[in-house]
Amino acid sequence: MSTPHLQGNKGDYAPVVLMPGDPLRAEFIAENYLSDVRCVNRIRGMLGFTGTYQGVPVSVQGSGMGMPSIGIYSYELYHEFDVQSIIRIGTAGGIAGEVKLRDVILGQGACTNSRYADQYRLPGTYAPIASYRLLKTAADTAAELGIPVRVGDLLSSDTFYDDADSLAQWQKMHVLGIEMEAAALYMNAARAGKEALCICTVSDCPLRQEFTTAEERQTGFRAMMELALATVTKL
Ligand code: HPA
């Protein structure tokens, strides 16, 4: 039984899946952190792996960029592979004034400018939120590891290059960071009765024109990966 986008069989994914946007990051995590690891997806080069971390089964699966892409992969994982929890690990642009380069954000909620929620035909505005269990476990784990985190709202945007230049408006609402996937992931989790969390490291602060180097992004990514993996062992 494979799906249109994932070639595995039921049982090929662990109940908890870490989802970086970049499939090569999935491979990096598999090679550097997991034991007994095997590749479970190569379709479209969107690499997925399953193994164990400190004896706990875990999968890592690339999501691609944007809500349509993570929408497809997370839907198939939740509905066809019995996945219970997805933790996205990605980068974000810092928006709120106090957010600095390399900060780690736990996305408690995800505002969005996308029409993803239209499919649910709700008579109002849906508020996509993280699973409290995942959020609390990640926050507690970060405190134990001595990794400072900020907890609050993300903005999941359909545009990376945005003609409207609207970040200052979102800053007024104290949105911490902009990325492009969390809202769709949170909605898919809610609709499936499952769990999701988005953890981001701040790779740039577009309002201040500040950017990290590739090396800084790699180091920052390691702290976030280690937080996400340690969180998995506590679920
Ligand atoms: N915009 C959207 N997504 C992002 C950004 C950004 O500035 N930085 C990292 N992911």
Side-chain angles (χ1 to χ4, degrees):
M1 179 229 63
S2 60
T3 62
H5 308 93
L6 296 171
Q7 74 200 51
N9 292 307
K10 257 198 176 40
D12 277 347
Y13 284 90
V16 186
V17 178
L18 303 188
M19 282 205 118
D22 180 352
L24 294 180
R25 286 250 160 89
E27 187 174 52
F28 179 90
I29 295 168
E31 285 176 354
N32 290 280
Y33 292 98
L34 302 191
S35 306
D36 313 314
V37 69
R38 61 201 166 89
C39 184
V40 291
N41 192 61
R42 288 190 178 281
I43 295 176
R44 289 175 184 255
M46 199 57 78
L47 299 171
F49 301 85
T50 295
T52 60
Y53 180 74
Q54 295 179 357
V56 178
V58 61
S59 297
V60 279
Q61 170 65 54
S63 72
M65 288 182 285
M67 286 178 269
S69 189
I70 198 166
I72 288 169
Y73 291 108
S74 60
Y75 185 96
E76 292 180 6
L77 290 171
Y78 285 138
H79 291 274
E80 306 297 336
F81 292 95
D82 293 340
V83 167
Q84 173 63 27
S85 308
I86 297 178
I87 302 177
R88 164 171 151 69
I89 43 178
T91 56
I95 301 183
E98 76 274 20
V99 174
K100 300 183 299 300
L101 292 178
R102 296 180 292 279
D103 280 359
V104 176
I105 298 173
L106 306 183
Q108 182 177 16
C111 310
T112 188
N113 55 20
S114 109
R115 307 292 299 263
Y116 196 86
D118 283 9
Q119 63 182 306
Y120 306 115
R121 280 163 280 175
L122 297 164
T125 307
Y126 185 74
I129 55 169
S131 139
Y132 180 70
R133 186 176 81 107
L134 296 188
L135 180 64
K136 180 167 191 326
T137 308
D140 291 348
T141 305
E144 270 171 44
L145 296 177
I147 299 173
V149 292
R150 297 185 188 278
V151 182
D153 243 335
L154 293 168
L155 166 64
S156 301
S157 178
D158 266 343
T159 46
F160 186 88
Y161 301 105
D162 185 28
D163 217 44
D165 224 0
S166 56
L167 288 190
Q169 305 298 118
W170 292 101
Q171 189 185 45
K172 288 185 201 162
M173 295 304 288
H174 215 90
V175 168
L176 300 181
I178 176 172
E179 51 81 76
M180 303 183 74
E181 291 83 16
L185 175 63
Y186 289 0
M187 285 189 246
N188 274 2
R191 181 69 183 88
K194 308 264 179 141
E195 299 175 307
L197 173 66
C198 175
I199 308 178
C200 288
T201 52
V202 175
S203 59
D204 57 293
C205 292
L207 286 166
R208 298 198 293 259
Q209 291 292 303
E210 294 172 0
F211 307 92
T212 49
T213 63
E215 196 186 327
E216 285 171 326
R217 282 196 290 280
Q218 193 60 32
T219 315
F221 209 81
R222 267 189 179 268
M224 178 174 57
M225 280 186 283
E226 287 163 20
L227 170 58
L229 286 163
T231 299
V232 172
T233 66
K234 301 224 163 61
L235 292 175

